[in-house]
Amino acid sequence: MCARACGLVGSATSPEGAAHHRTLRWTGTIPGFQPGGRTGSLGRVQPPRQYHNIALVGFMGVGKSTVGQILAGLLGFEFIDTDRVIETREGRRISDIFANEGEPFFRDLETNLIREYETRPGLIVSTGGGLIVRPENLASLRKHCLIVCLWASPAVIFERVRHQGHRPLLQTPDPLSRITGLLEQRKPAYQQADILVGVDFRSPQETAQYIANSFRLLHQARKSPQAAAAEPRH
Ligand code: S3P
């Protein structure tokens, strides 16, 4: 556990970052990640790399778009929602794309789209829930983004999406089982994120503020480890 209780939960900080930040770990009681609710060592310190954008990844219904828009406002970044861009370009809903062309076609659209952002700075990229599962998409995001995974428990996700009908993968007689199964299946991909934020008990505003603080702190740590060490923790 972070000895200073700063709330940061894992980082892609560089070796020159403050020692404090080199020891950040995934934290909190995230069901499925830490059985028994212990804070642990699941987090991995990623190899040092440059990033100037933030990617929000995570399951359907965790609030990526809502958090992303607030975050974009906090940091003065441009907000991009991959699902909305695809729908606009295709001129139809994602459910229509799935129904007419199939999921692999949609996944290719995601992969092509995400590559476009590799050279653009100042972006909050909110991704569709399955985008991070393709290794090439993860590799693309890693080139320029701090990757933040929003994590919610299956029950909370179910509550959030149960009255929404626009997600093709959840149009099943037993959406809760589907959510539980898919979440388990995708967990290894979500675990590749630099930061994991549990959102079961956080409002979108709190989550966005938390990510903004983490991003600023990590940036600060890369520029000046001393300044970052003196920064107040949130
Ligand atoms: C999907 C999530 C959706 C959308 C599509 C597939 C998924 O996005 O990309 O329906 O595979 O999890 P949201 O996560 O924004 O709902």
Side-chain angles (χ1 to χ4, degrees):
M1 174 85 176
C2 167
R4 297 189 198 175
C6 71
L8 279 174
V9 283
S11 85
T13 190
S14 57
E16 70 271 18
H20 169 66
H21 295 104
R22 284 202 296 271
T23 59
L24 294 175
R25 300 200 191 288
W26 296 42
T27 188
T29 53
I30 309 289
F33 279 88
Q34 279 299 304
R38 290 179 48 238
T39 299
S41 56
L42 265 175
R44 60 202 77 195
V45 176
Q46 304 289 349
R49 63 177 208 270
Q50 298 293 320
Y51 50 82
H52 40 262
N53 299 324
I54 298 177
L56 296 179
V57 306
F59 205 77
M60 298 172 255
V62 295
K64 291 164 294 190
S65 303
T66 308
V67 168
Q69 287 174 64
I70 300 170
L71 186 56
L74 290 173
L75 293 175
F77 281 15
E78 181 185 347
F79 174 72
I80 285 167
D81 183 322
T82 59
D83 285 344
R84 297 294 84 75
V85 175
I86 288 173
E87 287 190 329
T88 303
R89 288 187 183 178
E90 287 288 306
R92 53 192 168 148
R93 304 299 306 266
I94 287 169
S95 49
D96 294 330
I97 301 173
F98 267 69
N100 294 310
E101 260 74 39
E103 186 174 346
F105 179 85
F106 172 73
R107 298 300 173 198
D108 288 342
L109 293 176
E110 285 188 314
T111 299
N112 294 336
L113 176 63
I114 211 77
R115 287 203 189 111
E116 293 179 24
Y117 301 128
E118 288 179 3
T119 53
R120 287 174 52 184
L123 303 179
I124 304 295
V125 185
S126 172
T127 64
L131 184 142
I132 198 74
V133 175
R134 272 197 182 179
E136 62 263 46
N137 295 349
L138 174 65
S140 172
L141 291 176
R142 269 203 207 292
K143 290 181 185 168
H144 59 105
C145 292
L146 178 72
I147 303 177
V148 180
C149 176
L150 306 188
W151 181 265
S153 56
V156 168
I157 292 172
F158 178 62
E159 275 310 311
R160 291 186 183 185
V161 302
R162 63 189 299 183
H163 300 301
Q164 304 170 351
H166 65 279
R167 293 182 174 94
L169 293 178
L170 298 183
Q171 301 315 302
T172 104
D174 187 357
L176 181 57
S177 296
R178 188 72 198 270
I179 290 166
T180 308
L182 261 184
L183 204 51
E184 194 58 33
Q185 193 182 311
R186 291 177 175 178
K187 196 159 54 171
Y190 294 143
Q191 281 179 322
Q192 302 302 314
D194 300 305
I195 294 178
L196 172 73
V197 184
V199 297
D200 276 2
F201 305 108
R202 280 195 178 91
S203 68
Q205 182 67 43
E206 281 174 316
T207 303
Q209 191 64 62
Y210 189 82
I211 299 167
N213 292 345
S214 305
F215 184 74
R216 288 190 183 117
L217 206 54
L218 291 168
H219 251 271
Q220 195 61 43
R222 285 196 321 203
K223 282 194 299 191
S224 159
Q226 293 80 11
E231 194 95 354
R233 312 289 172 204
H234 299 279

